[in-house]
């Protein structure tokens, strides 16, 4: 059996946010912004499709979305030509045969990613490593053909092979063996893209499991002892057991112990703290590799960022015994061993030295600033020196130059504080101005939207008046008489229906007609235009009793005042 593969059930796979972001980012790059804009215009997605895409991540749809065979190519109505994506992206499952194209990709990957020299890269090594896998065959399971054997999943962009995944297809699983990619796609997270594509392959091919990331390249026999291990534990790693360097019998005893008694075996197994921690995690069934991959790294040393040193590489290649400390525009060097000596000396002597061992190692040599004196005081005490203290570390009063330096630093600090206050004030004012601009722009846009048809409405009201005058020529008491001509009655009804529909349509767009005489409204100079005044019995003074011309309003704004007659009783 292969040693310590991480596996999952494709049907239960739940993508992480970074995986979804990597897929969406790649799909947008492949199709291009120009295609996206034209596709939205000529074949827009329905509201249901947009809602489903926003709230759900469809693995099959996501990994195939930018493949050329799956990209929709609607016809541009202006050019009468299909809309093409920015790039031609194709994925093909091919036999694991050797080709010059695959070898060129392998050489680029080994050179740029693994930094191997030309002498370390050979065609025979590529063939032996990635082109001599399992025998290929086709079987039938549940009435469906299934590929078996070693294959190359080839990813091509604009006809160029940019990535290659080596896969072993077994009757019940898809096993990811190796991945190589070109330096041109180094920033596109092809590890995540290909992993999602392979999980989708497992789902499409009805494979039960997806295996990836072997912890070692050692194969162990599936004998009786291995079967017992697999039956007793959810996760078995012979690589971990070999790392712990324990015999089978001793480790069997170790596995049978519970958490409370585990610490008793530390001496028996002769482990260090790191191995013992590994053993504890292994006993409790924790795959540390899977757990670390399931969450984001907490610091740059464990993030696996290309070009960044790991913690082990940092300790090996970088001299941590000296630190470069920059204070203002000046550079100092601190030695770690000296810091420890300073702490130990101050804890022992308990006095106030003006020039401590730390002071002698600061360079370039110059007058001490306030920051340096703070650094010295950090490793000293405020007690008086005891007997036997070194005479060369006696307390010395600060010189006049040191006081001058301190005053200069205080003045600089005060100046910087004032500058910060001024910049903060400018920032707050800029934010307030920008918010005011947003509000004004919002109001202007809304106003332009509400009154965009004001000129059209002003020209239209004359036609509405003529239609109203035509209806007014027929007295209301005669409009329903039976003895009237049928033709005239039909004409009147048609005009009435036309007016009703027209007024409903105008009201839908914000244009409304009002007649102040219907309710005897009080004269309002903002809405009415008085043409005359006259006494009228039984009417309130200042009320409207007659309308010569009805008024119109567009979204609450008067575009034509109503011409009215006003009561004047006093």
């Amino acid at each position: 059996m292969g040693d310590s593969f991480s596996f999952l059930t494709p049907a239960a796979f739940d993508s992480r946010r970074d995986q979804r972001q990597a897929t969406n980012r790649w799909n947008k790059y492949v199709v291009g912004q120009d295609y996206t804009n034209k596709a939205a215009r000529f074949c827009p997605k329905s509201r249901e499709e947009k809602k489903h895409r926003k709230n759900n991540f469809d693995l099959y749809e996501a990994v195939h979305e930018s493949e050329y065979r799956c990209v929709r190519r609607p016809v541009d109505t202006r050019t009468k030509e299909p809309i093409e994506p920015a790039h031609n992206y194709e994925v093909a499952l091919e036999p694991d045969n050797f080709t010059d194209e695959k070898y060129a990709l392998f050489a680029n990957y080994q050179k740029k990613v693994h930094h191997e020299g030309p002498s370390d890269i050979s065609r025979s090594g590529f063939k032996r490593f990635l082109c001599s896998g399992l025998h290929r065959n086709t079987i039938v399971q549940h009435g469906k053909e299934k590929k078996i054997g070693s294959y190359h999943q080839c990813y091509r962009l604009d006809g160029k092979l940019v990535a290659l995944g080596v896969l072993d297809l077994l009757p019940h699983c898809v096993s990811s063996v190796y991945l190589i990619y070109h330096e041109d796609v180094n920033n596109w997270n092809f590890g995540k893209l290909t992993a999602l594509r392979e999980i989708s392959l497992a789902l499409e091919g009805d494979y039960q499991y997806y295996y990836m990331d072997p912890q070692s390249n050692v194969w162990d026999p599936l004998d009786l002892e291995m079967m017992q291990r697999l039956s007793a534990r959810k996760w078995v790693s012979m690589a971990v057991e070999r790392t712990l360097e324990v015999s089978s019998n001793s480790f069997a005893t170790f596995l049978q112990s519970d958490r409370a008694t585990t610490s008793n075996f530390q001496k028996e197994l002769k482990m260090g703290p790191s191995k013992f921690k590994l053993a504890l995690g292994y006993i409790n069934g924790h795959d540390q590799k899977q757990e670390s991959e399931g969450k984001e790294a907490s610091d740059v040393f464990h993030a696996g960022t290309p070009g960044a040193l790991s913690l082990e590489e940092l300790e090996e290649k970088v001299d941590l015994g000296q630190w470069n400390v920059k204070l203002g525009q000046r550079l100092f060097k601190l030695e770690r061993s000296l810091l420890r000596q300073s702490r130990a000396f101050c804890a022992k002597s308990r006095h106030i030295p003006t020039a401590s061992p730390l002071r002698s190692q600061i360079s370039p040599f110059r007058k001490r600033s306030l920051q340096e004196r703070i650094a010295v005081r950090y490793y000293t005490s405020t007690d008086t020196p005891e007997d036997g203290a070194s005479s060369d570390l006696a307390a010395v009063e600060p010189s006049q130059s040191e006081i001058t330096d301190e005053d200069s630093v205080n003045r600089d600090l005060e100046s910087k504080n004032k500058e910060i206050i001024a910049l903060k004030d400018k920032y707050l004012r800029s934010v307030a101005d920008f918010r005011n601009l947003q509000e004004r722009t919002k109001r202007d846009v809304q106003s332009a939207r509400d009154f965009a048809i004001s000129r059209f409405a002003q020209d239209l009201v004359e036609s509405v008046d003529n239609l109203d005058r035509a209806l007014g020529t027929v007295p209301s008491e005669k409009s329903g008489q039976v003895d009237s001509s049928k033709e005239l009655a039909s004409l009147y009804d048609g005009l009435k229906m036309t007016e009703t529909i027209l007024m409903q349509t105008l009201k839908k767009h914000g244009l409304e007609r009002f007649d102040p005489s219907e309710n005897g409204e009080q004269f309002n100079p903002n809405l009415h235009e008085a043409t005359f005044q006259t006494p009228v019995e039984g009417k309130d003074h200042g009320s409207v009793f007659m309308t010569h011309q009805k008024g119109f309003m567009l979204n609450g704004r008067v575009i034509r005042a109503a011409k009215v007659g006003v009561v004047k009783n006093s």
Side-chain angles (χ1 to χ4, degrees):
M1 60 169 285
D3 183 30
S4 304
F5 280 82
S6 301
F7 73 92
L8 59 84
T9 304
F13 172 69
D14 186 15
S15 60
R16 300 196 308 267
R17 180 181 179 184
D18 59 327
Q19 295 170 331
R20 297 191 294 269
Q21 289 177 340
T23 304
N24 294 333
R25 181 166 161 260
W26 172 253
N27 290 338
K28 290 180 180 179
Y29 167 73
V30 171
V31 300
Q33 188 61 42
D34 183 64
Y35 170 87
T36 302
N37 296 337
K38 290 182 179 179
R41 183 165 66 250
F42 295 112
C43 62
K45 295 181 180 179
S46 64
R47 183 176 299 177
E48 290 74 15
E49 288 177 322
K50 293 180 181 178
K51 183 178 180 181
H52 176 77
R53 183 180 179 86
K54 181 178 180 181
N55 299 327
N56 301 278
F57 180 77
D58 190 320
L59 178 62
Y60 177 84
E61 178 184 353
V63 299
H64 293 287
E65 180 179 354
S66 58
E67 291 184 37
Y68 189 77
R69 63 182 180 84
C70 299
V71 174
R72 296 187 295 180
R73 291 185 290 280
V75 177
D76 191 333
T77 56
R78 294 174 299 181
T79 62
K80 307 302 181 183
E81 296 291 337
I83 303 173
E84 295 292 337
H87 302 279
N88 188 335
Y89 176 54
E90 297 175 319
V91 182
L93 189 63
E94 303 176 358
D96 63 340
N97 298 330
F98 175 88
T99 64
D100 291 335
E101 181 187 33
K102 295 177 182 178
Y103 175 71
L105 177 65
F106 171 76
N108 176 271
Y109 179 80
Q110 297 298 111
K111 179 180 178 181
K112 299 298 181 180
V113 177
H114 290 290
H115 308 290
E116 293 185 355
S119 59
D120 299 325
I121 305 172
S122 64
R123 292 174 176 265
S124 59
F126 173 64
K127 291 179 182 179
R128 182 177 63 257
F129 183 33
L130 299 178
C131 299
S132 57
L134 305 176
H135 174 69
R136 291 180 298 278
N137 193 10
T138 302
I139 63 174
V140 178
Q141 282 187 350
H142 309 294
K144 183 177 180 181
E145 289 189 353
K146 183 180 293 187
K147 293 182 178 180
I148 301 297
S150 295
Y151 290 85
H152 287 165
Q153 185 94 288
C154 299
Y155 302 82
R156 291 181 173 87
L157 188 67
D158 297 328
K160 177 182 177 181
L161 184 65
V162 296
L164 184 146
V166 183
L167 304 179
D168 286 343
L169 303 184
L170 305 177
H172 299 287
C173 74
V174 174
S175 176
S176 177
V177 179
Y178 202 67
L179 170 68
I180 57 177
Y181 51 85
H182 198 272
E183 60 177 325
D184 292 345
V185 296
N186 188 42
N187 297 326
W188 291 104
N189 296 317
F190 251 78
K192 297 175 182 178
L193 296 177
T194 55
L196 293 179
R197 186 65 175 76
E198 291 159 5
I199 294 173
S200 178
L201 173 65
L203 288 171
E204 297 168 37
D206 197 22
Y207 297 94
Q208 188 176 0
Y209 300 106
Y210 173 62
Y211 291 175
M212 59 181 177
D213 295 339
Q215 292 185 338
S216 71
N217 295 321
V218 179
W219 292 81
D220 295 281
L222 190 60
D223 52 14
L224 180 60
E225 181 183 356
M226 181 61 68
M227 293 297 295
Q228 292 175 349
R229 290 176 182 270
L230 294 175
S231 300
R233 296 177 54 75
K234 295 182 178 179
W235 177 57
V236 174
S237 172
M238 299 305 296
V240 173
E241 296 189 16
R242 278 189 285 268
T243 301
L244 296 174
E245 297 177 353
V246 295
S247 61
S248 299
N249 295 334
S250 179
F251 199 78
T253 307
F254 193 79
L255 291 176
Q256 294 171 2
S257 62
D258 56 22
R259 298 184 183 181
T261 60
T262 296
S263 58
N264 298 331
F265 292 86
Q266 184 171 8
K267 294 183 179 179
E268 176 186 349
L269 299 178
K270 299 180 181 179
M271 296 178 180
S274 59
K275 285 188 177 181
F276 189 69
K277 182 178 179 181
L278 176 63
L280 285 177
Y282 184 55
I283 287 174
N284 296 325
H286 297 162
D287 186 349
Q288 298 180 355
K289 184 175 182 181
Q290 279 189 325
E291 291 179 354
S292 63
E293 291 177 349
K295 58 184 179 181
E296 297 183 359
S298 59
D299 54 64
V300 70
F301 301 114
H302 298 89
T305 306
L309 298 178
S310 66
L311 192 58
E312 293 76 11
E313 293 173 333
L314 183 67
E315 293 178 347
E316 179 182 353
K317 299 180 180 180
V318 179
D319 182 12
L320 298 179
Q322 288 187 346
W323 301 343
N324 291 331
V325 180
K326 188 175 182 181
L327 298 176
Q329 299 297 325
R330 299 162 182 170
L331 187 66
F332 307 96
K333 292 183 179 180
L334 300 180
E335 292 188 0
R336 183 169 60 178
S337 59
L338 183 65
L339 295 177
R340 294 177 181 151
Q341 295 172 8
S342 179
R343 291 193 187 98
F345 177 80
C346 294
K348 182 178 179 180
S349 60
R350 300 183 62 81
H351 74 287
I352 309 177
T354 302
S356 70
L358 177 65
R359 175 68 182 90
S360 62
Q361 296 295 325
I362 296 180
S363 62
F365 302 105
R366 59 177 183 81
K367 297 179 180 178
R368 289 192 305 165
S369 65
L370 175 62
Q371 290 93 330
E372 294 172 38
R373 293 199 299 276
I374 292 175
V376 172
R377 287 199 298 270
Y378 181 78
Y379 296 108
T380 61
S381 172
T382 57
D383 296 339
T384 58
E386 297 178 357
D387 296 337
S390 177
S391 59
D392 61 338
L393 296 176
V396 180
E397 290 295 330
S399 64
Q400 184 64 32
S401 61
E402 293 174 346
I403 297 176
T404 304
D405 288 345
E406 184 174 354
D407 293 340
S408 175
V409 170
N410 290 333
R411 286 194 299 269
D412 292 343
L413 183 61
E414 184 178 358
S415 175
K416 295 298 181 182
N417 288 336
K418 291 181 180 180
E419 184 178 354
I420 291 173
I421 293 173
L423 291 175
K424 183 177 180 181
D425 181 67
K426 290 181 180 180
Y427 167 75
L428 294 176
R429 292 179 183 275
S430 299
V431 171
D433 291 341
F434 180 71
R435 290 178 179 174
N436 292 336
L437 177 62
Q438 284 181 317
E439 293 296 328
R440 288 196 301 270
T441 304
K442 184 178 179 181
R443 289 196 300 267
D444 293 344
V445 170
Q446 187 62 38
S447 177
R449 188 177 300 165
D450 291 340
F451 305 109
I453 62 171
S454 58
R455 290 189 178 182
F456 171 74
Q458 290 174 355
D459 296 336
L460 186 64
V461 294
E462 296 294 336
S463 300
V464 178
D465 288 341
N466 291 333
L467 186 60
D468 190 40
R469 293 190 189 99
L471 292 172
T473 58
V474 180
S476 59
E477 61 272 9
K478 292 184 178 182
S479 61
Q481 292 181 0
V482 181
D483 56 352
S484 59
S485 173
K486 291 184 179 180
E487 290 78 6
L488 293 177
S490 299
L491 177 61
Y492 179 84
D493 292 339
L495 290 174
K496 189 66 176 177
M497 292 173 61
T498 302
E499 184 198 34
T500 303
I501 295 174
L502 178 60
M503 295 310 300
Q504 290 177 352
T505 303
L506 295 178
K507 185 176 181 180
K508 186 185 299 183
H509 293 277
L511 183 63
E512 297 184 69
R513 183 174 63 183
F514 64 94
D515 185 358
S517 64
E518 291 182 353
N519 300 322
E521 299 177 9
Q522 287 291 318
F523 176 74
N524 186 347
N526 296 320
L527 303 176
H528 311 144
E529 179 183 348
T531 56
F532 67 94
Q533 290 181 312
T534 184
V536 179
E537 294 183 0
K539 299 286 185 179
D540 296 333
H541 176 73
S543 62
V544 176
F545 73 94
M546 186 177 66
T547 302
H548 291 293
Q549 191 179 53
K550 297 177 182 178
F552 284 87
M553 301 179 68
L554 179 63
N555 292 318
R557 177 189 292 181
V558 178
I559 63 172
R560 192 184 74 180
K563 295 181 179 180
V564 298
V566 183
V567 176
K568 185 179 180 182
N569 288 333
S570 58

